[in-house]
Amino acid sequence: FGNVKIMLPLITDKEEVIKAKQLIYQSINIVSEKYGCDVNKPSIGAMIEVPSAAIAIESLIPHIDFASLGTNDLIQYTLAIDRTNNKVSHLYNPGHPAVQFLIEKVIRSCIKEQCPVSICGELANDIRQTKKFLKIGLREVSTNVSDILKMKEAISKIEL
């Protein structure tokens, strides 16, 4: 009951979304029949955190209600580095042109198709990056609780 949103993690293509939605709706039907009540259908979204999902975002959008850019994993997978490994963590670069291209592609594609999109991860706490993404149309940012006031103040000063 109520408004439920389900975000599917590590999506790589539309077939995974289609299959997940089938299973979710099948489960809703079972619960509805078992308890004799109507169950609201949830909004289904995808965490865009692997390059294949970012590249193929246009094929995912018709099958999702919202998207969230998971920047920590997207950066790591795009640059083929482990940010927790001290030997290569210095290569973790949110400003890398490939990372920036993928993030901007997802934001622009979602906006074009009126699919709500948000951004989360450490990159969402970087006001310079967030400012750039807000200027191209991003309107939702998920940040650490400890950074909310700092981000809110910084965002309030941005002219769009």
Side-chain angles (χ1 to χ4, degrees):
F1 303 102
N3 297 322
V4 175
K5 292 183 177 184
I6 298 174
M7 186 167 355
L8 305 172
L10 292 169
I11 293 299
T12 61
D13 72 21
K14 71 178 182 179
E15 297 306 320
E16 294 169 336
V17 174
I18 292 167
K19 181 64 176 175
K21 287 174 76 172
Q22 288 172 346
L23 293 171
I24 291 166
Y25 295 148
Q26 181 182 15
S27 298
I28 288 171
N29 290 336
I30 290 169
V31 169
S32 294
E33 289 175 16
K34 182 174 182 177
Y35 296 102
C37 61
D38 291 331
V39 177
N40 293 343
K41 289 196 174 178
S43 296
I44 308 291
M47 179 67 82
I48 309 302
E49 54 194 332
V50 296
S52 59
I55 292 166
I57 189 66
E58 290 89 355
S59 69
L60 293 175
I61 291 172
H63 305 283
I64 59 176
D65 300 309
F66 63 95
S68 182
L69 276 153
T71 60
N72 293 346
D73 286 338
L74 184 62
I75 295 165
Q76 181 169 294
Y77 298 143
T78 301
L79 301 178
I81 60 104
D82 179 357
R83 65 190 173 109
T84 63
N85 181 329
N86 292 336
K87 293 179 182 178
V88 294
S89 62
H90 65 281
L91 299 172
Y92 187 83
N93 178 8
H96 190 284
V99 171
Q100 295 292 306
F101 172 81
L102 291 176
I103 292 171
E104 290 178 25
K105 176 181 176 35
V106 171
I107 293 170
R108 290 181 196 281
S109 296
C110 286
I111 290 169
K112 180 181 174 197
E113 297 301 322
Q114 299 177 349
C115 177
V117 61
S118 63
I119 193 167
C120 63
E122 294 304 314
L123 189 62
N125 292 323
D126 180 336
I127 192 60
R128 290 170 297 154
Q129 295 288 338
T130 300
K131 180 178 180 178
K132 179 168 56 171
F133 302 141
L134 289 169
K135 287 191 176 211
I136 63 170
L138 182 74
R139 293 296 177 262
E140 287 188 45
V141 177
S142 177
T143 188
N144 296 324
V145 172
S146 60
D147 293 325
I148 291 174
L149 291 177
K150 174 186 78 165
M151 291 298 292
K152 184 176 180 179
E153 179 182 11
I155 288 171
S156 71
K157 296 176 181 176
I158 297 171
E159 288 192 36
L160 299 176

